Amino acid sequence: LKLGTFKTALISQILEFGVSVILSDVDNIILRDPRPIFARFPEASILSTADLLSATRTDGRLELVKPNELMLNVGLMLLRASSIELVREWAQHMVAHPTHWDQAIFDTMAKRRAPHPMPPTRGGQLWACYGGKLLCGVLPVSTFCSGQVMNAEGL
């Protein structure tokens, strides 16, 4: 099995227990404990990094983003139990298509449009994702730097 297939299946199995999953790739730069920011957004089903080359904020709040103008990065993310339906679909897709890039598939599924889009909440920090079924947010680049951003910026 490809790593993306194994990873998505494992996340799905863990979420079935009703617990949250914090996922981190080895090439992330985490400058502080992410749990306090996760705790500030209990209504968010998914908080993840994104491939942003510059921060929209430097005060520790979630990034102000237009979801269709970025790629969500699965290198560091919080998936709460409420995201199980998306994660099951993601895992099933990866089993059926093990050569697909798991990050691109997640990004496409998460940004699936709702029939009646909801406006962003929490001052634009959270937005409706997965067809309007969930709330998502992008972790601050100033605190959580993905491997892609690190490599692009030459850090």
Side-chain angles (χ1 to χ4, degrees), residues 22-43:
I22 298 173
L23 176 69
S24 178
D25 285 351
V26 297
D27 63 347
N28 280 307
I29 297 174
I30 302 172
L31 299 177
R32 65 180 58 99
D33 183 352
R35 294 173 298 177
I37 198 166
F38 294 162
R40 283 200 307 264
F41 297 93
E43 70 274 37

PDB file of all heavy atoms in Angstrom, residues 22-43:
ATOM      1  N   ILE A  22      -4.473  14.388  15.732  1.00  0.00           N
ATOM      2  CA  ILE A  22      -3.525  15.414  15.318  1.00  0.00           C
ATOM      3  C   ILE A  22      -2.497  14.702  14.447  1.00  0.00           C
ATOM      4  O   ILE A  22      -1.842  13.762  14.896  1.00  0.00           O
ATOM      5  CB  ILE A  22      -2.834  16.087  16.519  1.00  0.00           C
ATOM      6  CG1 ILE A  22      -3.872  16.794  17.386  1.00  0.00           C
ATOM      7  CG2 ILE A  22      -1.766  17.077  16.029  1.00  0.00           C
ATOM      8  CD1 ILE A  22      -3.316  17.337  18.682  1.00  0.00           C
ATOM      9  N   LEU A  23      -2.392  15.152  13.222  1.00  0.00           N
ATOM     10  CA  LEU A  23      -1.493  14.523  12.261  1.00  0.00           C
ATOM     11  C   LEU A  23      -0.371  15.491  11.935  1.00  0.00           C
ATOM     12  O   LEU A  23      -0.620  16.670  11.659  1.00  0.00           O
ATOM     13  CB  LEU A  23      -2.279  14.191  10.983  1.00  0.00           C
ATOM     14  CG  LEU A  23      -1.508  13.604   9.820  1.00  0.00           C
ATOM     15  CD1 LEU A  23      -1.036  12.204  10.159  1.00  0.00           C
ATOM     16  CD2 LEU A  23      -2.380  13.584   8.579  1.00  0.00           C
ATOM     17  N   SER A  24       0.875  15.015  11.961  1.00  0.00           N
ATOM     18  CA  SER A  24       2.016  15.855  11.609  1.00  0.00           C
ATOM     19  C   SER A  24       3.022  15.059  10.797  1.00  0.00           C
ATOM     20  O   SER A  24       3.436  13.977  11.211  1.00  0.00           O
ATOM     21  CB  SER A  24       2.699  16.402  12.866  1.00  0.00           C
ATOM     22  OG  SER A  24       3.824  17.170  12.498  1.00  0.00           O
ATOM     23  N   ASP A  25       3.404  15.599   9.652  1.00  0.00           N
ATOM     24  CA  ASP A  25       4.499  15.035   8.885  1.00  0.00           C
ATOM     25  C   ASP A  25       5.809  15.395   9.581  1.00  0.00           C
ATOM     26  O   ASP A  25       5.865  16.312  10.397  1.00  0.00           O
ATOM     27  CB  ASP A  25       4.510  15.598   7.458  1.00  0.00           C
ATOM     28  CG  ASP A  25       3.418  15.018   6.572  1.00  0.00           C
ATOM     29  OD1 ASP A  25       2.748  14.052   6.993  1.00  0.00           O
ATOM     30  OD2 ASP A  25       3.224  15.546   5.462  1.00  0.00           O
ATOM     31  N   VAL A  26       6.866  14.726   9.202  1.00  0.00           N
ATOM     32  CA  VAL A  26       8.154  14.951   9.854  1.00  0.00           C
ATOM     33  C   VAL A  26       8.822  16.252   9.418  1.00  0.00           C
ATOM     34  O   VAL A  26       9.725  16.732  10.087  1.00  0.00           O
ATOM     35  CB  VAL A  26       9.128  13.769   9.631  1.00  0.00           C
ATOM     36  CG1 VAL A  26       8.583  12.508  10.259  1.00  0.00           C
ATOM     37  CG2 VAL A  26       9.418  13.566   8.160  1.00  0.00           C
ATOM     38  N   ASP A  27       8.385  16.837   8.304  1.00  0.00           N
ATOM     39  CA  ASP A  27       9.047  18.046   7.801  1.00  0.00           C
ATOM     40  C   ASP A  27       8.346  19.338   8.200  1.00  0.00           C
ATOM     41  O   ASP A  27       8.587  20.396   7.631  1.00  0.00           O
ATOM     42  CB  ASP A  27       9.218  17.979   6.293  1.00  0.00           C
ATOM     43  CG  ASP A  27       7.906  17.925   5.523  1.00  0.00           C
ATOM     44  OD1 ASP A  27       6.847  17.693   6.146  1.00  0.00           O
ATOM     45  OD2 ASP A  27       7.941  18.107   4.290  1.00  0.00           O
ATOM     46  N   ASN A  28       7.485  19.294   9.199  1.00  0.00           N
ATOM     47  CA  ASN A  28       6.826  20.501   9.695  1.00  0.00           C
ATOM     48  C   ASN A  28       7.713  21.223  10.690  1.00  0.00           C
ATOM     49  O   ASN A  28       8.508  20.602  11.387  1.00  0.00           O
ATOM     50  CB  ASN A  28       5.510  20.151  10.409  1.00  0.00           C
ATOM     51  CG  ASN A  28       4.397  19.921   9.441  1.00  0.00           C
ATOM     52  OD1 ASN A  28       4.129  20.749   8.589  1.00  0.00           O
ATOM     53  ND2 ASN A  28       3.744  18.786   9.557  1.00  0.00           N
ATOM     54  N   ILE A  29       7.520  22.530  10.752  1.00  0.00           N
ATOM     55  CA  ILE A  29       8.160  23.323  11.791  1.00  0.00           C
ATOM     56  C   ILE A  29       7.031  23.824  12.685  1.00  0.00           C
ATOM     57  O   ILE A  29       6.159  24.564  12.238  1.00  0.00           O
ATOM     58  CB  ILE A  29       8.941  24.508  11.203  1.00  0.00           C
ATOM     59  CG1 ILE A  29      10.077  24.004  10.315  1.00  0.00           C
ATOM     60  CG2 ILE A  29       9.480  25.398  12.331  1.00  0.00           C
ATOM     61  CD1 ILE A  29      10.810  25.097   9.591  1.00  0.00           C
ATOM     62  N   ILE A  30       7.031  23.374  13.933  1.00  0.00           N
ATOM     63  CA  ILE A  30       6.000  23.759  14.888  1.00  0.00           C
ATOM     64  C   ILE A  30       6.695  24.563  15.978  1.00  0.00           C
ATOM     65  O   ILE A  30       7.521  24.041  16.711  1.00  0.00           O
ATOM     66  CB  ILE A  30       5.291  22.515  15.467  1.00  0.00           C
ATOM     67  CG1 ILE A  30       4.675  21.697  14.334  1.00  0.00           C
ATOM     68  CG2 ILE A  30       4.237  22.922  16.491  1.00  0.00           C
ATOM     69  CD1 ILE A  30       4.122  20.362  14.771  1.00  0.00           C
ATOM     70  N   LEU A  31       6.366  25.856  16.053  1.00  0.00           N
ATOM     71  CA  LEU A  31       7.056  26.742  16.978  1.00  0.00           C
ATOM     72  C   LEU A  31       6.457  26.768  18.371  1.00  0.00           C
ATOM     73  O   LEU A  31       7.074  27.305  19.287  1.00  0.00           O
ATOM     74  CB  LEU A  31       7.103  28.158  16.397  1.00  0.00           C
ATOM     75  CG  LEU A  31       7.847  28.265  15.063  1.00  0.00           C
ATOM     76  CD1 LEU A  31       7.773  29.683  14.524  1.00  0.00           C
ATOM     77  CD2 LEU A  31       9.297  27.820  15.219  1.00  0.00           C
ATOM     78  N   ARG A  32       5.245  26.219  18.516  1.00  0.00           N
ATOM     79  CA  ARG A  32       4.650  26.112  19.862  1.00  0.00           C
ATOM     80  C   ARG A  32       3.588  25.024  19.845  1.00  0.00           C
ATOM     81  O   ARG A  32       3.164  24.573  18.795  1.00  0.00           O
ATOM     82  CB  ARG A  32       4.133  27.440  20.355  1.00  0.00           C
ATOM     83  CG  ARG A  32       2.986  28.032  19.585  1.00  0.00           C
ATOM     84  CD  ARG A  32       2.530  29.369  20.172  1.00  0.00           C
ATOM     85  NE  ARG A  32       3.574  30.353  20.223  1.00  0.00           N
ATOM     86  CZ  ARG A  32       3.751  31.324  19.324  1.00  0.00           C
ATOM     87  NH1 ARG A  32       2.929  31.427  18.327  1.00  0.00           N
ATOM     88  NH2 ARG A  32       4.720  32.175  19.445  1.00  0.00           N
ATOM     89  N   ASP A  33       3.190  24.637  21.017  1.00  0.00           N
ATOM     90  CA  ASP A  33       2.184  23.605  21.218  1.00  0.00           C
ATOM     91  C   ASP A  33       0.897  24.009  20.478  1.00  0.00           C
ATOM     92  O   ASP A  33       0.346  25.078  20.743  1.00  0.00           O
ATOM     93  CB  ASP A  33       1.924  23.465  22.715  1.00  0.00           C
ATOM     94  CG  ASP A  33       0.952  22.364  23.079  1.00  0.00           C
ATOM     95  OD1 ASP A  33       0.323  21.772  22.174  1.00  0.00           O
ATOM     96  OD2 ASP A  33       0.811  22.088  24.284  1.00  0.00           O
ATOM     97  N   PRO A  34       0.385  23.183  19.561  1.00  0.00           N
ATOM     98  CA  PRO A  34      -0.809  23.546  18.807  1.00  0.00           C
ATOM     99  C   PRO A  34      -2.115  23.383  19.583  1.00  0.00           C
ATOM    100  O   PRO A  34      -3.154  23.910  19.172  1.00  0.00           O
ATOM    101  CB  PRO A  34      -0.785  22.587  17.615  1.00  0.00           C
ATOM    102  CG  PRO A  34      -0.065  21.393  18.115  1.00  0.00           C
ATOM    103  CD  PRO A  34       0.971  21.923  19.087  1.00  0.00           C
ATOM    104  N   ARG A  35      -2.096  22.679  20.696  1.00  0.00           N
ATOM    105  CA  ARG A  35      -3.349  22.384  21.400  1.00  0.00           C
ATOM    106  C   ARG A  35      -4.122  23.620  21.863  1.00  0.00           C
ATOM    107  O   ARG A  35      -5.346  23.631  21.756  1.00  0.00           O
ATOM    108  CB  ARG A  35      -3.097  21.406  22.533  1.00  0.00           C
ATOM    109  CG  ARG A  35      -2.668  20.029  21.998  1.00  0.00           C
ATOM    110  CD  ARG A  35      -2.263  19.097  23.086  1.00  0.00           C
ATOM    111  NE  ARG A  35      -1.103  19.670  23.778  1.00  0.00           N
ATOM    112  CZ  ARG A  35      -0.528  19.132  24.832  1.00  0.00           C
ATOM    113  NH1 ARG A  35      -1.006  18.016  25.342  1.00  0.00           N
ATOM    114  NH2 ARG A  35       0.512  19.699  25.400  1.00  0.00           N
ATOM    115  N   PRO A  36      -3.479  24.690  22.330  1.00  0.00           N
ATOM    116  CA  PRO A  36      -4.274  25.860  22.712  1.00  0.00           C
ATOM    117  C   PRO A  36      -5.061  26.461  21.545  1.00  0.00           C
ATOM    118  O   PRO A  36      -6.213  26.854  21.713  1.00  0.00           O
ATOM    119  CB  PRO A  36      -3.233  26.846  23.257  1.00  0.00           C
ATOM    120  CG  PRO A  36      -2.147  25.959  23.773  1.00  0.00           C
ATOM    121  CD  PRO A  36      -2.086  24.815  22.784  1.00  0.00           C
ATOM    122  N   ILE A  37      -4.457  26.537  20.374  1.00  0.00           N
ATOM    123  CA  ILE A  37      -5.206  27.078  19.236  1.00  0.00           C
ATOM    124  C   ILE A  37      -6.315  26.118  18.823  1.00  0.00           C
ATOM    125  O   ILE A  37      -7.407  26.538  18.448  1.00  0.00           O
ATOM    126  CB  ILE A  37      -4.292  27.470  18.053  1.00  0.00           C
ATOM    127  CG1 ILE A  37      -5.056  28.411  17.109  1.00  0.00           C
ATOM    128  CG2 ILE A  37      -3.789  26.261  17.294  1.00  0.00           C
ATOM    129  CD1 ILE A  37      -4.178  29.128  16.116  1.00  0.00           C
ATOM    130  N   PHE A  38      -6.077  24.814  18.913  1.00  0.00           N
ATOM    131  CA  PHE A  38      -7.133  23.842  18.612  1.00  0.00           C
ATOM    132  C   PHE A  38      -8.304  24.045  19.582  1.00  0.00           C
ATOM    133  O   PHE A  38      -9.463  24.005  19.186  1.00  0.00           O
ATOM    134  CB  PHE A  38      -6.619  22.411  18.734  1.00  0.00           C
ATOM    135  CG  PHE A  38      -5.573  22.018  17.720  1.00  0.00           C
ATOM    136  CD1 PHE A  38      -4.776  20.905  17.944  1.00  0.00           C
ATOM    137  CD2 PHE A  38      -5.373  22.729  16.552  1.00  0.00           C
ATOM    138  CE1 PHE A  38      -3.814  20.503  17.018  1.00  0.00           C
ATOM    139  CE2 PHE A  38      -4.407  22.340  15.614  1.00  0.00           C
ATOM    140  CZ  PHE A  38      -3.630  21.228  15.858  1.00  0.00           C
ATOM    141  N   ALA A  39      -7.988  24.276  20.845  1.00  0.00           N
ATOM    142  CA  ALA A  39      -9.025  24.436  21.873  1.00  0.00           C
ATOM    143  C   ALA A  39      -9.847  25.712  21.672  1.00  0.00           C
ATOM    144  O   ALA A  39     -11.009  25.766  22.067  1.00  0.00           O
ATOM    145  CB  ALA A  39      -8.392  24.431  23.262  1.00  0.00           C
ATOM    146  N   ARG A  40      -9.252  26.734  21.053  1.00  0.00           N
ATOM    147  CA  ARG A  40      -9.983  27.995  20.831  1.00  0.00           C
ATOM    148  C   ARG A  40     -11.062  27.864  19.759  1.00  0.00           C
ATOM    149  O   ARG A  40     -11.903  28.748  19.629  1.00  0.00           O
ATOM    150  CB  ARG A  40      -9.006  29.106  20.431  1.00  0.00           C
ATOM    151  CG  ARG A  40      -8.236  29.648  21.600  1.00  0.00           C
ATOM    152  CD  ARG A  40      -7.647  31.023  21.316  1.00  0.00           C
ATOM    153  NE  ARG A  40      -6.840  31.128  20.123  1.00  0.00           N
ATOM    154  CZ  ARG A  40      -5.508  31.025  20.092  1.00  0.00           C
ATOM    155  NH1 ARG A  40      -4.837  30.764  21.193  1.00  0.00           N
ATOM    156  NH2 ARG A  40      -4.855  31.175  18.969  1.00  0.00           N
ATOM    157  N   PHE A  41     -11.039  26.786  18.994  1.00  0.00           N
ATOM    158  CA  PHE A  41     -11.999  26.607  17.900  1.00  0.00           C
ATOM    159  C   PHE A  41     -12.690  25.247  18.003  1.00  0.00           C
ATOM    160  O   PHE A  41     -12.563  24.392  17.122  1.00  0.00           O
ATOM    161  CB  PHE A  41     -11.289  26.755  16.548  1.00  0.00           C
ATOM    162  CG  PHE A  41     -10.712  28.121  16.353  1.00  0.00           C
ATOM    163  CD1 PHE A  41      -9.399  28.390  16.702  1.00  0.00           C
ATOM    164  CD2 PHE A  41     -11.500  29.145  15.866  1.00  0.00           C
ATOM    165  CE1 PHE A  41      -8.876  29.665  16.546  1.00  0.00           C
ATOM    166  CE2 PHE A  41     -10.983  30.426  15.709  1.00  0.00           C
ATOM    167  CZ  PHE A  41      -9.667  30.684  16.056  1.00  0.00           C
ATOM    168  N   PRO A  42     -13.452  25.030  19.085  1.00  0.00           N
ATOM    169  CA  PRO A  42     -14.083  23.722  19.273  1.00  0.00           C
ATOM    170  C   PRO A  42     -15.119  23.385  18.197  1.00  0.00           C
ATOM    171  O   PRO A  42     -15.414  22.217  17.977  1.00  0.00           O
ATOM    172  CB  PRO A  42     -14.737  23.833  20.658  1.00  0.00           C
ATOM    173  CG  PRO A  42     -14.955  25.286  20.854  1.00  0.00           C
ATOM    174  CD  PRO A  42     -13.808  25.961  20.151  1.00  0.00           C
ATOM    175  N   GLU A  43     -15.664  24.392  17.535  1.00  0.00           N
ATOM    176  CA  GLU A  43     -16.656  24.143  16.499  1.00  0.00           C
ATOM    177  C   GLU A  43     -16.032  23.725  15.166  1.00  0.00           C
ATOM    178  O   GLU A  43     -16.723  23.250  14.274  1.00  0.00           O
ATOM    179  CB  GLU A  43     -17.552  25.377  16.309  1.00  0.00           C
ATOM    180  CG  GLU A  43     -16.877  26.582  15.683  1.00  0.00           C
ATOM    181  CD  GLU A  43     -16.143  27.503  16.662  1.00  0.00           C
ATOM    182  OE1 GLU A  43     -15.533  27.025  17.642  1.00  0.00           O
ATOM    183  OE2 GLU A  43     -16.157  28.715  16.423  1.00  0.00           O
TER     184      GLU A  43
END
